[in-house]
Amino acid sequence: TEFVAEESSGTVELTYTLDASTLAGTTIVVFETLYSDGVEIAAHADINDEAQTIEITEPDEPTLGTTATVDGQHTADPTGEITIVDVVEYTGLIPGKTYAVSGILMNKGTGEPLLIDGAEVTEEVEFTPEETIGTVELTYTLDASTLAGTTIVVFETLYQDGVEIAAH
């Protein structure tokens, strides 16, 4: 930054803008050099100066928590079509990055995937969080008329660039 000193002492603000998304775990130290007419007249280059140090922290480990309901309840009548809304709560994501969360309905009694007409019931949503913590919904619509007495559990998996990073 070029400036004209109004007094013999004062401050000048330098602003550095950079993409820190690949710098997790990095410590940055700012060095400054003062020039007058192209000649160096002062410098501050102390690698141990804590006042000049910025730590780019590691993001929290991504986690998932969920609440699955039918019409806001944890029970449903086996009288036909139902819609299960699974609200997936996430933490530790990087805003602006793209993620995918996939889910599968499981039969708690058998420990196996729930089968409707011989097929697994799955859902996937791709999303880009605006904040590190938030929610995304997975919605499953199925015929429950043959499921009397069945307890359904939803399993979810979170992916970034096709790699599993969290599961619930």
Side-chain angles (χ1 to χ4, degrees):
T1 297
E2 285 192 20
F3 66 99
V4 175
E6 301 291 327
E7 297 181 25
S8 63
S9 64
T11 62
V12 174
E13 186 173 294
L14 297 174
T15 302
Y16 303 86
T17 303
L18 59 138
D19 178 2
S21 64
T22 62
L23 300 176
T26 302
T27 300
I28 299 170
V29 181
V30 180
F31 287 7
E32 303 89 4
T33 306
L34 179 65
Y35 297 92
S36 178
D37 295 324
V39 176
E40 181 180 324
I41 59 172
H44 183 161
D46 180 357
I47 197 73
N48 296 311
D49 187 342
E50 289 187 26
Q52 298 291 101
T53 301
I54 304 293
E55 290 185 41
I56 311 297
T57 60
E58 293 282 346
D60 293 336
E61 194 69 31
T63 62
L64 296 179
T66 65
T67 303
T69 59
V70 176
D71 296 327
Q73 303 297 312
H74 292 283
T75 60
D77 293 325
T79 57
E81 187 173 276
I82 63 169
T83 299
I84 298 172
V85 177
D86 185 24
V87 178
V88 180
E89 300 170 28
Y90 56 81
T91 65
L93 301 191
I94 300 170
K97 296 274 185 185
T98 301
Y99 297 87
V101 63
S102 67
I104 183 169
L105 300 185
M106 300 292 291
N107 182 324
K108 185 175 182 177
T110 66
E112 298 293 324
L114 179 71
L115 299 178
I116 301 294
D117 296 328
E120 295 178 354
V121 183
T122 62
E123 184 64 38
E124 182 169 298
V125 173
E126 190 172 278
F127 66 102
T128 304
E130 293 181 11
E131 296 184 27
T132 188
I133 297 171
T135 61
V136 64
E137 288 186 2
L138 295 173
T139 303
Y140 307 85
T141 301
L142 60 138
D143 180 1
S145 60
T146 63
L147 300 177
T150 303
T151 300
I152 299 169
V153 179
V154 185
F155 285 8
E156 300 87 4
T157 307
L158 180 67
Y159 299 93
Q160 182 183 17
D161 298 326
V163 176
E164 179 180 328
I165 60 172
H168 180 259

